[in-house]
Amino acid sequence: MELKEKLLSSFMAFEEKIDFHQELHDVRSQAIKNFESKGFPTKKEESWKYTSLNTILKNDFSVFPKKENTIEFAEVKKYFLHEIDTYKVVFIDGIFSSFLSSTSHDGLDVCLMSSGLNKPKYKMYIDEYFNKIASKEESLTSLNTAFASEGAYINIPKSKVVEKPIEIIYFSTGSEAALMVQPRNLVIVGENAHVQIIERHQSLNDNPVLTNSVTEIFAQKRAIVDYYKIQNDVQTANLIDNTYIAQKQESHVSVHTFSFGGNITRNNLNFYHQGERIDSTLKGVTIIGDKQHVDHYTLVQHATPNCESHQNYKTILDGSSTGVFNGKIFVEREAQKTDAFQKNNNILLSDKATINAKPQLEIFADDVKCSHGCTIGQLDENAMFYMQQRGIPKKEAKALLMYAFTSEVTGSIKIPELRSKIARIIADKLGVKMGFDL
């Protein structure tokens, strides 16, 4: 049975085993109808022109884990940011692990989507926020909505500065021959509140995994949100990450995406402005090789005046890997005084590596400052020669140049311990030991 048919036939059984709410039933039913109509995206769609899911969909994925698995902390300690204390929300094969998690009881709601969807005390927030900015047209987002049951629910109250970062980690044990998981995250950050969140998806063996994740983030007036995505999975893991962000007046939201591993990774990142003097930051570093594929699809919709957005994506490709950057800035007629900047720089280390870049500007306002730029090239041979002449071996010289290339992004990480962790991952990807952090 093809995966689409398996998912459609499983939907009714899924709804029967969860708590029933008419409103959610209607939302899910409409979502599954949309997925049934559209199916999985293909390269015939302009936004998926350079990314094919055909090889992934040949796997016989289980859509629900057959049993609940456990993991010892020692097995996965290296995946946590253990240098500092953090709140932890951990899932194993899509199921919450209370043993590995450490949530808050100091006025924060850092808990589970299942609690948010099913407990009366959260109903007001679910009614107001759940599925309100997630795309109703994107078929994979609709598929996630239809099966939404578990993930992280984070609600930061007004004027709260969260003292510790929040880590959301999804582990796949590989106990199934092939498994599809669909986590759903909802993040609400109140007025004048500030939070730092780190998200990671990690497989623990080489059995194929397909993760179809959806995250909705709501930043209220003057809220500050720093969101970090670490994608450094095994080469049989596939991730489709859909993130939707709504920003109110004077809010600041930054999303850093670090794509280092996995088979096929697709990042859909969408920002929607709903007030004046908003600041949006989208940054990413991609370092891949072999036959890996990473696709960044970004959208910033400037709908209000006096707002800024800054995009900066760096890509290093080796082997027969493929990178895609499709960044879109949309400026509506009312969005005067917009300042929007987009940059995508790419280095190809191999003749077989491929980059497909498509920066886009759609501007309907006349008093704006908007720009975009894209470069594709190789490492500077003159710089390599200069460094080697001063006693730096070729391998280290090459790594130093690539460090410098990525530092414009990594240098803006606001958690020092995370910045050091990313530096170590980059050094490992480059096959060198560095005597300093970024």
PDB file of all heavy atoms in Angstrom, residues 43 48-53 56 231 235 237-239 259 261-267 286 288-296 317 320-324 354 356:
ATOM      1  N   LYS A  43       7.641  17.744  -8.082  1.00  0.00           N
ATOM      2  CA  LYS A  43       8.461  18.765  -8.726  1.00  0.00           C
ATOM      3  C   LYS A  43       7.675  19.586  -9.746  1.00  0.00           C
ATOM      4  O   LYS A  43       8.183  20.590 -10.259  1.00  0.00           O
ATOM      5  CB  LYS A  43       9.686  18.114  -9.385  1.00  0.00           C
ATOM      6  CG  LYS A  43      10.620  17.456  -8.383  1.00  0.00           C
ATOM      7  CD  LYS A  43      11.817  16.798  -9.039  1.00  0.00           C
ATOM      8  CE  LYS A  43      12.829  17.816  -9.477  1.00  0.00           C
ATOM      9  NZ  LYS A  43      14.102  17.179  -9.928  1.00  0.00           N
ATOM     10  N   TRP A  48       8.378  23.365  -5.173  1.00  0.00           N
ATOM     11  CA  TRP A  48       9.088  22.093  -4.965  1.00  0.00           C
ATOM     12  C   TRP A  48       9.862  21.696  -6.226  1.00  0.00           C
ATOM     13  O   TRP A  48      10.193  20.528  -6.421  1.00  0.00           O
ATOM     14  CB  TRP A  48       8.107  20.987  -4.601  1.00  0.00           C
ATOM     15  CG  TRP A  48       7.585  21.097  -3.200  1.00  0.00           C
ATOM     16  CD1 TRP A  48       6.579  21.906  -2.749  1.00  0.00           C
ATOM     17  CD2 TRP A  48       8.068  20.386  -2.055  1.00  0.00           C
ATOM     18  NE1 TRP A  48       6.402  21.743  -1.399  1.00  0.00           N
ATOM     19  CE2 TRP A  48       7.294  20.818  -0.942  1.00  0.00           C
ATOM     20  CE3 TRP A  48       9.066  19.431  -1.861  1.00  0.00           C
ATOM     21  CZ2 TRP A  48       7.504  20.321   0.341  1.00  0.00           C
ATOM     22  CZ3 TRP A  48       9.269  18.932  -0.586  1.00  0.00           C
ATOM     23  CH2 TRP A  48       8.498  19.380   0.499  1.00  0.00           C
ATOM     24  N   LYS A  49      10.185  22.664  -7.045  1.00  0.00           N
ATOM     25  CA  LYS A  49      10.798  22.418  -8.351  1.00  0.00           C
ATOM     26  C   LYS A  49      12.095  21.630  -8.267  1.00  0.00           C
ATOM     27  O   LYS A  49      12.422  20.830  -9.149  1.00  0.00           O
ATOM     28  CB  LYS A  49      11.034  23.765  -9.038  1.00  0.00           C
ATOM     29  CG  LYS A  49      11.600  23.678 -10.440  1.00  0.00           C
ATOM     30  CD  LYS A  49      11.723  25.073 -11.036  1.00  0.00           C
ATOM     31  CE  LYS A  49      12.294  25.037 -12.448  1.00  0.00           C
ATOM     32  NZ  LYS A  49      12.413  26.401 -13.020  1.00  0.00           N
ATOM     33  N   TYR A  50      12.859  21.839  -7.187  1.00  0.00           N
ATOM     34  CA  TYR A  50      14.185  21.232  -7.097  1.00  0.00           C
ATOM     35  C   TYR A  50      14.264  20.106  -6.064  1.00  0.00           C
ATOM     36  O   TYR A  50      15.356  19.603  -5.789  1.00  0.00           O
ATOM     37  CB  TYR A  50      15.216  22.305  -6.740  1.00  0.00           C
ATOM     38  CG  TYR A  50      15.272  23.440  -7.732  1.00  0.00           C
ATOM     39  CD1 TYR A  50      14.819  24.712  -7.378  1.00  0.00           C
ATOM     40  CD2 TYR A  50      15.762  23.256  -9.025  1.00  0.00           C
ATOM     41  CE1 TYR A  50      14.860  25.764  -8.286  1.00  0.00           C
ATOM     42  CE2 TYR A  50      15.806  24.299  -9.930  1.00  0.00           C
ATOM     43  CZ  TYR A  50      15.350  25.555  -9.558  1.00  0.00           C
ATOM     44  OH  TYR A  50      15.391  26.583 -10.462  1.00  0.00           O
ATOM     45  N   THR A  51      13.134  19.722  -5.503  1.00  0.00           N
ATOM     46  CA  THR A  51      13.151  18.691  -4.458  1.00  0.00           C
ATOM     47  C   THR A  51      12.105  17.629  -4.743  1.00  0.00           C
ATOM     48  O   THR A  51      10.911  17.940  -4.844  1.00  0.00           O
ATOM     49  CB  THR A  51      12.886  19.312  -3.067  1.00  0.00           C
ATOM     50  OG1 THR A  51      13.906  20.276  -2.793  1.00  0.00           O
ATOM     51  CG2 THR A  51      12.900  18.255  -1.980  1.00  0.00           C
ATOM     52  N   SER A  52      12.544  16.394  -4.868  1.00  0.00           N
ATOM     53  CA  SER A  52      11.644  15.270  -5.111  1.00  0.00           C
ATOM     54  C   SER A  52      11.595  14.363  -3.883  1.00  0.00           C
ATOM     55  O   SER A  52      12.626  14.047  -3.284  1.00  0.00           O
ATOM     56  CB  SER A  52      12.127  14.457  -6.323  1.00  0.00           C
ATOM     57  OG  SER A  52      11.375  13.267  -6.453  1.00  0.00           O
ATOM     58  N   LEU A  53      10.379  13.943  -3.529  1.00  0.00           N
ATOM     59  CA  LEU A  53      10.190  13.036  -2.402  1.00  0.00           C
ATOM     60  C   LEU A  53      10.011  11.583  -2.857  1.00  0.00           C
ATOM     61  O   LEU A  53       9.761  10.703  -2.034  1.00  0.00           O
ATOM     62  CB  LEU A  53       8.954  13.464  -1.598  1.00  0.00           C
ATOM     63  CG  LEU A  53       8.982  14.874  -0.994  1.00  0.00           C
ATOM     64  CD1 LEU A  53       7.678  15.151  -0.249  1.00  0.00           C
ATOM     65  CD2 LEU A  53      10.171  15.054  -0.072  1.00  0.00           C
ATOM     66  N   ILE A  56      11.958   8.801  -1.078  1.00  0.00           N
ATOM     67  CA  ILE A  56      11.533   8.623   0.321  1.00  0.00           C
ATOM     68  C   ILE A  56      10.260   7.807   0.389  1.00  0.00           C
ATOM     69  O   ILE A  56      10.122   6.884   1.203  1.00  0.00           O
ATOM     70  CB  ILE A  56      11.295   9.993   0.989  1.00  0.00           C
ATOM     71  CG1 ILE A  56      12.548  10.848   0.955  1.00  0.00           C
ATOM     72  CG2 ILE A  56      10.817   9.808   2.429  1.00  0.00           C
ATOM     73  CD1 ILE A  56      12.330  12.255   1.504  1.00  0.00           C
ATOM     74  N   GLN A 231      19.974  20.507  12.770  1.00  0.00           N
ATOM     75  CA  GLN A 231      19.639  19.381  11.894  1.00  0.00           C
ATOM     76  C   GLN A 231      20.940  18.675  11.523  1.00  0.00           C
ATOM     77  O   GLN A 231      21.621  19.067  10.581  1.00  0.00           O
ATOM     78  CB  GLN A 231      18.900  19.897  10.654  1.00  0.00           C
ATOM     79  CG  GLN A 231      17.609  20.627  11.012  1.00  0.00           C
ATOM     80  CD  GLN A 231      17.005  21.416   9.870  1.00  0.00           C
ATOM     81  OE1 GLN A 231      17.623  21.615   8.822  1.00  0.00           O
ATOM     82  NE2 GLN A 231      15.776  21.885  10.059  1.00  0.00           N
ATOM     83  N   GLN A 235      22.131   9.678   7.699  1.00  0.00           N
ATOM     84  CA  GLN A 235      21.808   9.851   6.291  1.00  0.00           C
ATOM     85  C   GLN A 235      20.631   9.017   5.812  1.00  0.00           C
ATOM     86  O   GLN A 235      20.367   8.944   4.606  1.00  0.00           O
ATOM     87  CB  GLN A 235      23.056   9.588   5.444  1.00  0.00           C
ATOM     88  CG  GLN A 235      24.130  10.629   5.651  1.00  0.00           C
ATOM     89  CD  GLN A 235      25.153  10.654   4.531  1.00  0.00           C
ATOM     90  OE1 GLN A 235      24.859  10.280   3.403  1.00  0.00           O
ATOM     91  NE2 GLN A 235      26.350  11.088   4.839  1.00  0.00           N
ATOM     92  N   ALA A 237      17.710   9.640   7.522  1.00  0.00           N
ATOM     93  CA  ALA A 237      16.633  10.432   8.122  1.00  0.00           C
ATOM     94  C   ALA A 237      16.197  11.523   7.155  1.00  0.00           C
ATOM     95  O   ALA A 237      17.019  12.156   6.488  1.00  0.00           O
ATOM     96  CB  ALA A 237      17.100  11.045   9.434  1.00  0.00           C
ATOM     97  N   ASN A 238      14.896  11.741   7.088  1.00  0.00           N
ATOM     98  CA  ASN A 238      14.321  12.749   6.205  1.00  0.00           C
ATOM     99  C   ASN A 238      13.447  13.686   7.037  1.00  0.00           C
ATOM    100  O   ASN A 238      12.631  13.225   7.844  1.00  0.00           O
ATOM    101  CB  ASN A 238      13.480  12.096   5.112  1.00  0.00           C
ATOM    102  CG  ASN A 238      14.266  11.050   4.333  1.00  0.00           C
ATOM    103  OD1 ASN A 238      15.038  11.386   3.449  1.00  0.00           O
ATOM    104  ND2 ASN A 238      14.080   9.778   4.671  1.00  0.00           N
ATOM    105  N   LEU A 239      13.618  14.968   6.826  1.00  0.00           N
ATOM    106  CA  LEU A 239      12.894  15.959   7.630  1.00  0.00           C
ATOM    107  C   LEU A 239      12.229  16.985   6.735  1.00  0.00           C
ATOM    108  O   LEU A 239      12.862  17.588   5.870  1.00  0.00           O
ATOM    109  CB  LEU A 239      13.870  16.669   8.579  1.00  0.00           C
ATOM    110  CG  LEU A 239      13.320  17.864   9.367  1.00  0.00           C
ATOM    111  CD1 LEU A 239      12.214  17.432  10.325  1.00  0.00           C
ATOM    112  CD2 LEU A 239      14.436  18.576  10.125  1.00  0.00           C
ATOM    113  N   SER A 259      21.881  23.098   9.157  1.00  0.00           N
ATOM    114  CA  SER A 259      21.598  21.854   8.446  1.00  0.00           C
ATOM    115  C   SER A 259      22.904  21.164   8.088  1.00  0.00           C
ATOM    116  O   SER A 259      23.614  21.600   7.177  1.00  0.00           O
ATOM    117  CB  SER A 259      20.779  22.139   7.182  1.00  0.00           C
ATOM    118  OG  SER A 259      19.576  22.811   7.499  1.00  0.00           O
ATOM    119  N   GLY A 261      23.129  17.347   8.435  1.00  0.00           N
ATOM    120  CA  GLY A 261      22.984  15.911   8.206  1.00  0.00           C
ATOM    121  C   GLY A 261      21.604  15.561   7.710  1.00  0.00           C
ATOM    122  O   GLY A 261      20.750  16.415   7.511  1.00  0.00           O
ATOM    123  N   GLY A 262      21.403  14.252   7.518  1.00  0.00           N
ATOM    124  CA  GLY A 262      20.138  13.770   6.988  1.00  0.00           C
ATOM    125  C   GLY A 262      20.240  13.437   5.517  1.00  0.00           C
ATOM    126  O   GLY A 262      21.227  13.755   4.830  1.00  0.00           O
ATOM    127  N   ASN A 263      19.192  12.802   5.015  1.00  0.00           N
ATOM    128  CA  ASN A 263      19.119  12.449   3.605  1.00  0.00           C
ATOM    129  C   ASN A 263      18.523  13.611   2.821  1.00  0.00           C
ATOM    130  O   ASN A 263      19.214  14.318   2.095  1.00  0.00           O
ATOM    131  CB  ASN A 263      18.277  11.178   3.448  1.00  0.00           C
ATOM    132  CG  ASN A 263      18.055  10.799   2.000  1.00  0.00           C
ATOM    133  OD1 ASN A 263      18.918  11.031   1.152  1.00  0.00           O
ATOM    134  ND2 ASN A 263      16.901  10.237   1.691  1.00  0.00           N
ATOM    135  N   ILE A 264      17.233  13.843   3.005  1.00  0.00           N
ATOM    136  CA  ILE A 264      16.554  15.000   2.412  1.00  0.00           C
ATOM    137  C   ILE A 264      15.994  15.853   3.536  1.00  0.00           C
ATOM    138  O   ILE A 264      15.282  15.360   4.417  1.00  0.00           O
ATOM    139  CB  ILE A 264      15.430  14.562   1.457  1.00  0.00           C
ATOM    140  CG1 ILE A 264      16.029  13.880   0.209  1.00  0.00           C
ATOM    141  CG2 ILE A 264      14.574  15.758   1.052  1.00  0.00           C
ATOM    142  CD1 ILE A 264      14.994  13.392  -0.775  1.00  0.00           C
ATOM    143  N   THR A 265      16.338  17.135   3.521  1.00  0.00           N
ATOM    144  CA  THR A 265      15.819  18.090   4.497  1.00  0.00           C
ATOM    145  C   THR A 265      15.163  19.236   3.751  1.00  0.00           C
ATOM    146  O   THR A 265      15.770  19.836   2.858  1.00  0.00           O
ATOM    147  CB  THR A 265      16.947  18.648   5.386  1.00  0.00           C
ATOM    148  OG1 THR A 265      17.607  17.574   6.054  1.00  0.00           O
ATOM    149  CG2 THR A 265      16.393  19.620   6.412  1.00  0.00           C
ATOM    150  N   ARG A 266      13.939  19.528   4.130  1.00  0.00           N
ATOM    151  CA  ARG A 266      13.215  20.649   3.531  1.00  0.00           C
ATOM    152  C   ARG A 266      12.738  21.565   4.656  1.00  0.00           C
ATOM    153  O   ARG A 266      12.012  21.139   5.556  1.00  0.00           O
ATOM    154  CB  ARG A 266      12.021  20.128   2.723  1.00  0.00           C
ATOM    155  CG  ARG A 266      10.963  21.172   2.358  1.00  0.00           C
ATOM    156  CD  ARG A 266      11.352  22.076   1.211  1.00  0.00           C
ATOM    157  NE  ARG A 266      10.250  22.980   0.875  1.00  0.00           N
ATOM    158  CZ  ARG A 266       9.984  23.434  -0.336  1.00  0.00           C
ATOM    159  NH1 ARG A 266      10.761  23.105  -1.337  1.00  0.00           N
ATOM    160  NH2 ARG A 266       8.968  24.246  -0.551  1.00  0.00           N
ATOM    161  N   ASN A 267      13.176  22.820   4.627  1.00  0.00           N
ATOM    162  CA  ASN A 267      12.782  23.798   5.638  1.00  0.00           C
ATOM    163  C   ASN A 267      11.872  24.844   5.009  1.00  0.00           C
ATOM    164  O   ASN A 267      12.318  25.619   4.148  1.00  0.00           O
ATOM    165  CB  ASN A 267      14.026  24.482   6.225  1.00  0.00           C
ATOM    166  CG  ASN A 267      14.859  23.542   7.076  1.00  0.00           C
ATOM    167  OD1 ASN A 267      14.380  23.018   8.066  1.00  0.00           O
ATOM    168  ND2 ASN A 267      16.108  23.323   6.678  1.00  0.00           N
ATOM    169  N   THR A 286      24.413  25.643   6.049  1.00  0.00           N
ATOM    170  CA  THR A 286      24.272  24.282   5.529  1.00  0.00           C
ATOM    171  C   THR A 286      25.640  23.774   5.118  1.00  0.00           C
ATOM    172  O   THR A 286      26.343  24.422   4.330  1.00  0.00           O
ATOM    173  CB  THR A 286      23.323  24.248   4.321  1.00  0.00           C
ATOM    174  OG1 THR A 286      22.024  24.704   4.707  1.00  0.00           O
ATOM    175  CG2 THR A 286      23.217  22.836   3.750  1.00  0.00           C
ATOM    176  N   ILE A 288      26.937  20.045   3.789  1.00  0.00           N
ATOM    177  CA  ILE A 288      26.566  18.669   3.467  1.00  0.00           C
ATOM    178  C   ILE A 288      27.503  18.109   2.397  1.00  0.00           C
ATOM    179  O   ILE A 288      28.216  18.844   1.720  1.00  0.00           O
ATOM    180  CB  ILE A 288      25.098  18.554   3.000  1.00  0.00           C
ATOM    181  CG1 ILE A 288      24.826  19.511   1.829  1.00  0.00           C
ATOM    182  CG2 ILE A 288      24.143  18.812   4.153  1.00  0.00           C
ATOM    183  CD1 ILE A 288      23.434  19.362   1.234  1.00  0.00           C
ATOM    184  N   GLY A 289      27.454  16.773   2.245  1.00  0.00           N
ATOM    185  CA  GLY A 289      28.256  16.090   1.241  1.00  0.00           C
ATOM    186  C   GLY A 289      27.538  14.847   0.759  1.00  0.00           C
ATOM    187  O   GLY A 289      26.326  14.708   0.933  1.00  0.00           O
ATOM    188  N   ASP A 290      28.290  13.915   0.168  1.00  0.00           N
ATOM    189  CA  ASP A 290      27.714  12.687  -0.389  1.00  0.00           C
ATOM    190  C   ASP A 290      26.540  13.035  -1.304  1.00  0.00           C
ATOM    191  O   ASP A 290      26.669  13.873  -2.178  1.00  0.00           O
ATOM    192  CB  ASP A 290      27.305  11.730   0.732  1.00  0.00           C
ATOM    193  CG  ASP A 290      28.488  11.282   1.565  1.00  0.00           C
ATOM    194  OD1 ASP A 290      29.566  11.063   0.974  1.00  0.00           O
ATOM    195  OD2 ASP A 290      28.357  11.176   2.794  1.00  0.00           O
ATOM    196  N   LYS A 291      25.362  12.412  -1.075  1.00  0.00           N
ATOM    197  CA  LYS A 291      24.184  12.698  -1.897  1.00  0.00           C
ATOM    198  C   LYS A 291      23.100  13.403  -1.080  1.00  0.00           C
ATOM    199  O   LYS A 291      21.912  13.334  -1.414  1.00  0.00           O
ATOM    200  CB  LYS A 291      23.633  11.401  -2.491  1.00  0.00           C
ATOM    201  CG  LYS A 291      24.589  10.731  -3.474  1.00  0.00           C
ATOM    202  CD  LYS A 291      23.970   9.471  -4.082  1.00  0.00           C
ATOM    203  CE  LYS A 291      24.924   8.830  -5.075  1.00  0.00           C
ATOM    204  NZ  LYS A 291      24.352   7.596  -5.685  1.00  0.00           N
ATOM    205  N   GLN A 292      23.506  14.092  -0.044  1.00  0.00           N
ATOM    206  CA  GLN A 292      22.533  14.781   0.800  1.00  0.00           C
ATOM    207  C   GLN A 292      21.874  15.940   0.055  1.00  0.00           C
ATOM    208  O   GLN A 292      22.439  16.505  -0.895  1.00  0.00           O
ATOM    209  CB  GLN A 292      23.223  15.305   2.065  1.00  0.00           C
ATOM    210  CG  GLN A 292      23.714  14.214   2.999  1.00  0.00           C
ATOM    211  CD  GLN A 292      24.496  14.803   4.158  1.00  0.00           C
ATOM    212  OE1 GLN A 292      25.581  15.340   3.979  1.00  0.00           O
ATOM    213  NE2 GLN A 292      23.934  14.697   5.361  1.00  0.00           N
ATOM    214  N   HIS A 293      20.686  16.298   0.537  1.00  0.00           N
ATOM    215  CA  HIS A 293      19.888  17.334  -0.123  1.00  0.00           C
ATOM    216  C   HIS A 293      19.248  18.211   0.952  1.00  0.00           C
ATOM    217  O   HIS A 293      18.553  17.712   1.842  1.00  0.00           O
ATOM    218  CB  HIS A 293      18.798  16.668  -0.980  1.00  0.00           C
ATOM    219  CG  HIS A 293      17.931  17.639  -1.737  1.00  0.00           C
ATOM    220  ND1 HIS A 293      18.055  17.857  -3.093  1.00  0.00           N
ATOM    221  CD2 HIS A 293      16.910  18.436  -1.330  1.00  0.00           C
ATOM    222  CE1 HIS A 293      17.159  18.730  -3.489  1.00  0.00           C
ATOM    223  NE2 HIS A 293      16.440  19.109  -2.423  1.00  0.00           N
ATOM    224  N   VAL A 294      19.477  19.518   0.880  1.00  0.00           N
ATOM    225  CA  VAL A 294      18.862  20.471   1.813  1.00  0.00           C
ATOM    226  C   VAL A 294      18.211  21.591   1.009  1.00  0.00           C
ATOM    227  O   VAL A 294      18.848  22.209   0.149  1.00  0.00           O
ATOM    228  CB  VAL A 294      19.884  21.065   2.798  1.00  0.00           C
ATOM    229  CG1 VAL A 294      19.248  22.185   3.623  1.00  0.00           C
ATOM    230  CG2 VAL A 294      20.428  19.988   3.729  1.00  0.00           C
ATOM    231  N   ASP A 295      16.941  21.857   1.311  1.00  0.00           N
ATOM    232  CA  ASP A 295      16.144  22.851   0.589  1.00  0.00           C
ATOM    233  C   ASP A 295      15.589  23.847   1.608  1.00  0.00           C
ATOM    234  O   ASP A 295      14.828  23.482   2.505  1.00  0.00           O
ATOM    235  CB  ASP A 295      15.007  22.133  -0.153  1.00  0.00           C
ATOM    236  CG  ASP A 295      14.149  23.085  -0.991  1.00  0.00           C
ATOM    237  OD1 ASP A 295      14.230  24.305  -0.794  1.00  0.00           O
ATOM    238  OD2 ASP A 295      13.374  22.584  -1.831  1.00  0.00           O
ATOM    239  N   HIS A 296      15.993  25.119   1.473  1.00  0.00           N
ATOM    240  CA  HIS A 296      15.442  26.185   2.306  1.00  0.00           C
ATOM    241  C   HIS A 296      14.436  26.988   1.479  1.00  0.00           C
ATOM    242  O   HIS A 296      14.794  27.548   0.427  1.00  0.00           O
ATOM    243  CB  HIS A 296      16.545  27.133   2.786  1.00  0.00           C
ATOM    244  CG  HIS A 296      17.525  26.503   3.729  1.00  0.00           C
ATOM    245  ND1 HIS A 296      17.211  26.187   5.026  1.00  0.00           N
ATOM    246  CD2 HIS A 296      18.819  26.129   3.539  1.00  0.00           C
ATOM    247  CE1 HIS A 296      18.273  25.662   5.618  1.00  0.00           C
ATOM    248  NE2 HIS A 296      19.259  25.597   4.731  1.00  0.00           N
ATOM    249  N   LEU A 317      28.841  22.900  -0.040  1.00  0.00           N
ATOM    250  CA  LEU A 317      28.415  21.633  -0.630  1.00  0.00           C
ATOM    251  C   LEU A 317      29.622  20.841  -1.121  1.00  0.00           C
ATOM    252  O   LEU A 317      30.491  21.374  -1.811  1.00  0.00           O
ATOM    253  CB  LEU A 317      27.466  21.885  -1.804  1.00  0.00           C
ATOM    254  CG  LEU A 317      26.186  22.673  -1.498  1.00  0.00           C
ATOM    255  CD1 LEU A 317      25.438  22.980  -2.778  1.00  0.00           C
ATOM    256  CD2 LEU A 317      25.299  21.913  -0.537  1.00  0.00           C
ATOM    257  N   SER A 320      28.305  14.770  -4.057  1.00  0.00           N
ATOM    258  CA  SER A 320      27.227  14.951  -5.044  1.00  0.00           C
ATOM    259  C   SER A 320      26.000  15.567  -4.386  1.00  0.00           C
ATOM    260  O   SER A 320      24.859  15.314  -4.786  1.00  0.00           O
ATOM    261  CB  SER A 320      26.867  13.597  -5.670  1.00  0.00           C
ATOM    262  OG  SER A 320      27.968  13.033  -6.336  1.00  0.00           O
ATOM    263  N   SER A 321      26.222  16.367  -3.374  1.00  0.00           N
ATOM    264  CA  SER A 321      25.116  16.947  -2.628  1.00  0.00           C
ATOM    265  C   SER A 321      24.427  18.051  -3.423  1.00  0.00           C
ATOM    266  O   SER A 321      24.973  18.600  -4.384  1.00  0.00           O
ATOM    267  CB  SER A 321      25.611  17.493  -1.291  1.00  0.00           C
ATOM    268  OG  SER A 321      26.580  18.510  -1.502  1.00  0.00           O
ATOM    269  N   THR A 322      23.202  18.389  -2.972  1.00  0.00           N
ATOM    270  CA  THR A 322      22.398  19.406  -3.637  1.00  0.00           C
ATOM    271  C   THR A 322      21.837  20.368  -2.600  1.00  0.00           C
ATOM    272  O   THR A 322      21.278  19.948  -1.583  1.00  0.00           O
ATOM    273  CB  THR A 322      21.225  18.784  -4.413  1.00  0.00           C
ATOM    274  OG1 THR A 322      21.729  17.840  -5.352  1.00  0.00           O
ATOM    275  CG2 THR A 322      20.428  19.858  -5.146  1.00  0.00           C
ATOM    276  N   GLY A 323      21.974  21.637  -2.869  1.00  0.00           N
ATOM    277  CA  GLY A 323      21.389  22.666  -2.024  1.00  0.00           C
ATOM    278  C   GLY A 323      20.371  23.475  -2.793  1.00  0.00           C
ATOM    279  O   GLY A 323      20.495  23.653  -4.015  1.00  0.00           O
ATOM    280  N   VAL A 324      19.363  23.944  -2.081  1.00  0.00           N
ATOM    281  CA  VAL A 324      18.328  24.785  -2.687  1.00  0.00           C
ATOM    282  C   VAL A 324      18.065  25.960  -1.751  1.00  0.00           C
ATOM    283  O   VAL A 324      17.914  25.779  -0.547  1.00  0.00           O
ATOM    284  CB  VAL A 324      17.011  24.017  -2.921  1.00  0.00           C
ATOM    285  CG1 VAL A 324      15.972  24.922  -3.589  1.00  0.00           C
ATOM    286  CG2 VAL A 324      17.234  22.762  -3.749  1.00  0.00           C
ATOM    287  N   THR A 354      25.704  20.617  -6.442  1.00  0.00           N
ATOM    288  CA  THR A 354      24.771  21.482  -7.178  1.00  0.00           C
ATOM    289  C   THR A 354      24.070  22.423  -6.216  1.00  0.00           C
ATOM    290  O   THR A 354      23.646  22.023  -5.132  1.00  0.00           O
ATOM    291  CB  THR A 354      23.704  20.645  -7.904  1.00  0.00           C
ATOM    292  OG1 THR A 354      24.346  19.707  -8.760  1.00  0.00           O
ATOM    293  CG2 THR A 354      22.781  21.527  -8.723  1.00  0.00           C
ATOM    294  N   ASN A 356      20.843  25.310  -6.331  1.00  0.00           N
ATOM    295  CA  ASN A 356      19.768  25.978  -7.061  1.00  0.00           C
ATOM    296  C   ASN A 356      19.292  27.140  -6.196  1.00  0.00           C
ATOM    297  O   ASN A 356      18.711  26.932  -5.122  1.00  0.00           O
ATOM    298  CB  ASN A 356      18.607  25.014  -7.323  1.00  0.00           C
ATOM    299  CG  ASN A 356      19.020  23.840  -8.186  1.00  0.00           C
ATOM    300  OD1 ASN A 356      19.233  23.979  -9.382  1.00  0.00           O
ATOM    301  ND2 ASN A 356      19.152  22.673  -7.576  1.00  0.00           N
TER     302      ASN A 356
END
